[in-house]
Amino acid sequence: MTDASITASDFEGSHKSSISVEAEFKDYFELLKPRVMRLVVFTGLVGLVAAPSSIHPFVGFVAILCIAIGGGAAGALNMWWDADIDAIMKRTSNRPIPAGKVNLQEACGFGFALSGFSVMMLGLATNWFAAGLLAFTIFFYVVIYTIWLKRITPQNIVIGGAAGAFPPVIGWAAVTGNVSFESILMFALIFMWTPPHFWALALFTRSDYDNASVPMLTVTHGRKSTRTHILVYTILLAVFALAMCFTDLGGPIFIVTAIILNALFLKGAIAISKRDETKSENDNFHVERKFFKFSLLYLFMHFGAVVIDRGLVQLALWGTS
Amino acid sequence: MSIRPDHELHSRRLSRNVGLGLILVTFVALVFGLTVVKITEGDVARAITGATANE
């Protein structure tokens, strides 16, 4: 938000081009990366619902809101630090900072203020362990990923995925006050899912990360290596997903869902690993695009199955899991 | 003096002011709701009568 004053000539519109563009409310909302926030809210909610004890619905609502705001604050701080490369890349050049709607200092202050607010509110509403986890998530995403490792390692997607994997752990901790094997497996599911999801995307989008000097696996190790990486991570992902079947999270719906989804996901990863660039370009990366779309469904259905199983247990349709 | 139409700048500022206002109202509602839940374990009727969870 710039603090431009309005002059008489501005009213007349005669110097419109000289006026700094002031931010609208939606520009600040854009700083919170609302698309990423949807995943944060959903997985955080699943962690909260799947936890073995209960929480008052209003406190649960506040907890999810705090997790969402904390995730958004991390996004704002990410945009603050990465404003230079956001301005270079086409995909991010319309973000509020490179577009000139929000200046760097405001984005920084906005991010820090919301970080402090979300952590404090979560601590007061639920417990300080969950608040500490949220604070660590923000720290991890901003300092470890954005500031330190994003620009120096092609494994940046893997590291960034860890930050995105924390919400179900925080949701779980908000209810129970601790971390359990189940919440760690939910973390692992998102953590292992992120690399194949983004690398599939990187295969069929013309990335301009190299222009911004951000090392991406497709550029640093080549596309063939990226395809192999997708397969390896998908195998590891299947191991963690199926391991969830043997915990309290593994109700009948989840077990069936996990077996089917992981078989299909693995099939897709094998198909990707076997393809060469000529074949992919000829069909406009049909398999890669299909795999990417399916990866969204994959994560949604795994976590959705956890909620359905928990709901059925609540309705006592089958024994406690 | 004739009435001049609002500059686009005003609509931007209005959206910020309205947004901030809504956020502040939401914040008050959240703190109030949390207070009621924490003190009365969610029993609004007890909150109205002033009774606490321990009574």
Side-chain angles (χ1 to χ4, degrees):
Chain A
M1 176 174 26
T2 54
D3 193 26
S5 58
I6 303 168
T7 64
S9 59
D10 293 335
F11 269 109
E12 301 297 339
S14 58
H15 294 93
K16 193 175 179 181
S17 61
S18 67
I19 306 168
S20 299
V21 178
E22 281 203 20
E24 289 180 80
F25 183 72
K26 69 174 184 182
D27 295 320
Y28 289 94
F29 186 66
E30 284 298 316
L31 276 180
L32 304 181
K33 296 192 175 180
R35 284 184 185 175
V36 178
M37 206 190 273
R38 277 185 289 184
L39 177 68
V40 168
V41 168
F42 177 61
T43 56
L45 182 64
V46 173
L48 196 124
V49 171
S53 44
S54 62
I55 190 172
H56 189 280
F58 188 78
V59 177
F61 166 74
V62 174
I64 294 300
L65 187 67
C66 290
I67 295 170
I69 293 172
L77 290 170
N78 169 274
M79 285 198 200
W80 158 66
W81 187 263
D82 279 346
D84 56 338
I85 56 175
D86 282 352
I88 295 170
M89 297 190 291
K90 282 179 191 168
R91 183 177 66 85
T92 54
S93 58
N94 286 329
R95 284 178 173 176
I97 300 174
K101 292 172 180 171
V102 178
N103 69 37
L104 280 172
Q105 289 80 6
E106 283 172 329
C108 180
F110 186 63
F112 274 111
L114 286 186
S115 298
F117 171 79
S118 59
V119 171
M120 291 298 291
M121 279 295 284
L122 186 61
L124 292 168
T126 60
N127 57 72
W128 292 103
F129 181 72
L133 277 176
L134 180 61
F136 178 74
T137 305
I138 297 168
F139 168 80
F140 188 91
Y141 187 68
V142 176
V143 177
I144 307 293
Y145 169 67
T146 304
I147 296 177
W148 184 20
L149 296 173
K150 181 178 176 180
R151 303 188 192 204
I152 62 173
T153 170
Q155 296 295 322
N156 44 24
I157 291 295
V158 182
I159 298 152
F166 270 107
V169 184
I170 302 170
W172 183 285
V175 179
T176 64
N178 58 40
V179 173
S180 71
F181 188 56
E182 287 84 357
S183 64
I184 291 171
L185 281 177
M186 285 193 283
F187 171 92
L189 187 74
I190 303 175
F191 179 65
M192 301 309 297
W193 166 87
T194 309
H197 169 76
F198 277 105
W199 284 332
L201 177 70
L203 282 175
F204 66 83
T205 53
R206 288 187 63 82
S207 168
D208 45 6
Y209 277 106
D210 46 338
N211 296 334
S213 301
V214 176
M216 290 300 283
L217 198 67
T218 45
V219 177
T220 59
H221 288 63
R223 301 172 70 86
K224 179 66 186 164
S225 174
T226 305
R227 292 174 184 278
T228 309
H229 272 74
I230 289 175
L231 178 61
V232 171
Y233 273 88
T234 304
I235 292 168
L236 293 171
L237 171 64
V239 171
F240 283 109
L242 295 174
M244 286 173 72
C245 297
F246 300 100
T247 68
D248 285 349
L249 298 172
I253 302 288
F254 182 85
I255 293 170
V256 173
T257 305
I259 290 170
I260 295 170
L261 289 177
N262 282 285
L264 292 172
F265 207 47
L266 208 52
K267 189 182 163 199
I270 292 168
I272 284 180
S273 70
K274 285 181 176 174
R275 280 161 70 84
D276 57 40
E277 291 310 309
T278 314
K279 196 186 282 183
S280 299
E281 280 170 18
N282 284 345
D283 66 4
N284 196 22
F285 297 94
H286 175 72
V287 174
E288 290 80 0
R289 287 175 193 276
K290 203 172 150 188
F291 183 83
F292 174 76
K293 281 181 187 169
F294 184 69
S295 70
L296 295 166
L297 190 69
Y298 175 97
L299 194 69
F300 176 77
M301 288 190 73
H302 269 92
F303 279 89
V306 170
V307 174
I308 293 169
D309 272 330
R310 186 61 64 186
L312 293 174
V313 168
Q314 296 290 327
L315 293 169
L317 289 185
W318 49 63
T320 54
S321 57
Chain B
M1 184 175 154
S2 62
I3 298 173
R4 291 165 180 163
D6 276 355
H7 192 278
E8 188 213 12
L9 204 65
H10 292 113
S11 61
R12 288 176 177 275
R13 285 182 178 172
L14 179 67
S15 87
R16 287 208 309 268
N17 294 338
V18 170
L20 185 61
L22 288 173
I23 285 171
L24 289 173
V25 169
T26 306
F27 176 66
V28 170
L30 285 178
V31 173
F32 177 74
L34 274 179
T35 307
V36 170
V37 170
K38 292 281 180 185
I39 292 176
T40 67
E41 293 176 352
D43 188 343
V44 179
R46 281 164 66 183
I48 293 168
T49 57
T52 65
N54 295 326
E55 290 177 24

